[in-house]
Amino acid sequence: MSHSCDGVIAAILSTSLLAGCATTTPPQSTVTIPNHLTDSGAVRSDAPPSTWWHLYREPALDALVEEALANNRDLRAASANLLQAGSILSEARGELWPTTRLSTGAGDGSTIQDQIAAASRGTDDIRTGQRFDIGTNMSWELDLFGRLRSTVKSAKADAQASAALEDGVRVAVAAGVTGAWLDACGYAHRADVARRSLELARHGRDLAERLLAAGSGLPVDVLRADALVGQASAAIPMLDAKRHDALAELAVLTGRPPTEIPAAAAACRRLPFITTPLPIGDGLTLLRRRPDVRAAEQKLAADTARIGIAVAGLYPRISLDGGAAISSPTVGGIASRNNLVWRVGPLLSWSFPNISAARARIRYARAGEAVGLANFDATILRALKEVNQTAEDYGAALRRQNDLRAAADHSARADRLMRIQRSAGAASALEALDAERADIDAQAALAAADSDVATTQVALFKALGGGWENAPAVALPSPQRTASTAPVTASSK
């Protein structure tokens, strides 16, 4: 029975999923990966860039992403988890080699050696007094049934899964920093437009009051103008709060307190744009790129290796074992060969005939492999769904942005014409005010659409799984321990 899953991602592109990794004949799978994941015209099929945030051409943003990839606290935790997994792998590899132990002892009383000596003399006079012992033992398990090798495979796959999960955090951090930067810029621009709208509403209220005082207006016109002022004013606080939230999120993602807001991000008042279609790549490139897919694959490999560990429990463990010990009533007698006891030979350990526990562990391991296979399949489907959905959302956001940009252009042209007519006396002040208000409303709608495009861009890049390649090393701090909590080691200070 083979449990090898090498090349599993390439096998997904065939008509059945993971057929080469199943231990029994699986049902016919309907999961396939198309080369083209979306029909949206907002994307193209060449490979996506790894440092995709460079497409915004914002050096300050690039610097913040690099800073976050080195100092983010969640990324530090993921990196520490990877160190733990690597240590477990080193321990598993160390079990492949012989182990040696050294023991010493001293005390008063009667020992087994004293009893043996009395028996050899044919007397009941057993010596009681000081006894000094020193011994060494070496043991080397012969991995005849693959238990140790399967343990190493499992630990190696777990370590690779931890590495993939760390890369997944890198993707989330890069997307989070870029998204927070764009949100801060977008909300700042929308707040500026909202303030211009408030200024215009106040101007309209002043105009309505003057017309009422001149006898050319109605009280209801003043009430309506007051309502517009209130509506325009109400839009500003939440936009400012959202901008503050984005800046605080950006600070924390880069490893700073939320009050230490990066100056460049705080100064941004307009969104940067990517003018070219975004690259997606084909299905195989996507699956090889996404860290969650790699993590699920390695977890499946680890679950498969654990079956080998459990199966080895059905068979005996055989070790080459050797040891030597010296016991003497005096310190000087330690060097005497007459006090030396030694042995060498094979050592067998076998839980037989009661193997019910071992078979239960095998069933548990095989069920774990089934869980890993199901999770792997589900991860692939989620990856395809996320890219398909985010690409479609991005295309829809672009189409909406284009329509609103055209509407904003038309409103701006209408406002300019109305100004010309107003200066020529062919339009009233109220007509000019209505045209200007329509222009501001169109600009506000376009600013919101620009933010939606930026949000869907980042979501698409995150779904593509880029941002972990060639990332800087994570800066792990050294814990500062007090004298009462510091372990006593040679390196303790």
Side-chain angles (χ1 to χ4, degrees):
M1 178 175 63
S2 173
H3 300 287
S4 174
C5 290
D6 294 340
V8 68
I9 289 182
I12 296 173
L13 293 177
S14 64
T15 57
S16 68
L17 177 64
L18 297 174
C21 292
T23 57
T24 59
T25 303
Q28 182 65 30
S29 173
T30 59
V31 178
T32 56
I33 299 176
N35 284 333
H36 301 287
L37 303 177
T38 177
D39 294 329
S40 173
V43 297
R44 63 178 190 262
S45 61
D46 52 322
S50 57
T51 55
W52 50 267
W53 50 89
H54 289 171
L55 296 175
Y56 291 99
R57 300 183 183 277
E58 289 284 347
L61 170 60
D62 300 341
L64 285 176
V65 172
E66 292 296 312
E67 180 181 351
L69 290 176
N71 297 321
N72 180 265
R73 298 307 188 258
D74 292 333
L75 193 51
R76 284 183 178 180
S79 182
N81 288 334
L82 178 58
L83 289 178
Q84 287 184 326
S87 298
I88 293 174
L89 175 59
S90 297
E91 180 183 5
R93 286 172 171 166
E95 294 293 332
L96 295 171
W97 300 98
T99 58
T100 57
R101 295 177 181 86
L102 178 68
S103 62
T104 61
D108 290 319
S110 176
T111 67
I112 187 65
Q113 289 86 352
D114 295 318
Q115 297 178 27
I116 293 174
S120 66
R121 294 194 303 268
T123 178
D124 293 333
D125 185 14
I126 301 175
R127 178 192 175 278
T128 300
Q130 289 184 328
R131 176 65 66 174
F132 300 91
D133 304 294
I134 184 171
T136 184
N137 183 78
M138 184 190 73
S139 179
W140 187 9
E141 180 176 346
L142 302 178
D143 193 26
L144 301 179
F145 304 103
R147 184 185 72 86
L148 297 180
R149 292 191 299 273
S150 295
T151 301
V152 171
K153 288 181 181 178
S154 176
K156 183 177 181 181
D158 283 336
Q160 291 175 343
S162 295
L165 291 176
E166 183 188 29
D167 289 339
V169 178
R170 286 190 172 98
V171 172
V173 167
V177 171
T178 306
W181 174 285
L182 296 176
D183 283 345
C185 298
Y187 282 120
H189 177 57
R190 292 173 64 182
D192 290 341
V193 175
R195 287 184 172 88
R196 292 200 298 270
S197 178
L198 175 59
E199 182 181 353
L200 182 61
R202 288 171 176 169
H203 176 66
R205 181 185 59 189
D206 295 340
L207 178 60
E209 290 175 346
R210 289 197 302 269
L211 290 176
L212 178 62
S216 300
L218 299 173
V220 69
D221 295 331
V222 177
L223 292 175
R224 290 172 178 169
D226 284 334
L228 291 176
V229 170
Q231 292 172 359
S233 179
I236 297 174
M238 288 308 299
L239 293 174
D240 287 339
K242 292 291 187 182
R243 174 176 175 270
H244 172 269
D245 293 346
L247 291 173
E249 176 74 10
L250 185 60
V252 172
L253 283 171
T254 55
R256 311 180 187 187
T259 54
E260 293 185 10
I261 296 174
C268 182
R269 311 298 300 183
R270 296 191 69 87
L271 275 168
F273 292 105
I274 300 176
T275 57
T276 59
L278 303 188
I280 276 189
D282 57 28
L284 182 59
T285 300
L286 166 67
L287 293 181
R288 286 174 173 167
R289 180 184 178 91
R290 282 187 56 128
D292 58 338
V293 174
R294 290 190 289 115
E297 181 187 9
Q298 293 304 321
K299 287 179 179 179
L300 174 58
D303 291 333
T304 302
R306 291 186 183 100
I307 297 177
I309 300 174
V311 169
L314 294 173
Y315 305 100
R317 295 187 188 181
I318 301 176
S319 303
L320 292 179
D321 196 70
I326 298 176
S327 180
S328 172
T330 64
V331 175
I334 293 293
S336 174
R337 295 180 58 186
N338 294 330
N339 296 323
L340 175 65
V341 178
W342 62 274
R343 63 178 175 79
V344 63
L347 179 65
L348 183 143
S349 175
W350 193 6
S351 298
F352 183 83
N354 182 13
I355 59 174
S356 58
R359 292 194 180 278
R361 287 190 289 269
I362 293 173
R363 292 194 297 271
Y364 180 84
R366 285 176 175 165
E369 183 189 42
V371 171
L373 180 58
N375 287 336
F376 187 30
D377 194 4
T379 301
I380 291 172
L381 290 177
R382 282 195 299 269
L384 297 176
K385 180 195 71 172
E386 288 176 10
V387 174
N388 186 279
Q389 289 178 338
T390 54
E392 191 62 31
D393 291 344
Y394 177 55
L398 279 181
R399 292 189 293 271
R400 180 172 178 268
Q401 181 192 48
N402 291 334
D403 291 340
L404 289 175
R405 181 177 288 113
D409 290 341
H410 294 156
S411 295
R413 291 174 58 189
D415 182 49
R416 288 194 297 270
L417 290 175
M418 186 57 67
R419 289 176 184 272
I420 294 174
Q421 293 179 2
R422 174 62 179 162
S423 63
S428 66
L430 287 177
E431 290 174 333
L433 182 63
D434 287 341
E436 191 173 359
R437 184 181 295 119
D439 182 38
I440 289 293
D441 290 343
Q443 291 181 34
L446 178 58
D450 291 341
S451 294
D452 289 341
V453 168
T455 299
T456 53
Q457 276 178 348
V458 174
L460 178 57
F461 280 126
K462 184 178 180 181
L464 293 173
W468 55 267
E469 306 93 330
N470 302 318
V474 180
L476 287 179
S478 298
Q480 300 296 322
R481 300 182 177 91
T482 61
S484 60
T485 60
V488 180
T489 64
S491 60
S492 297
K493 297 181 179 180

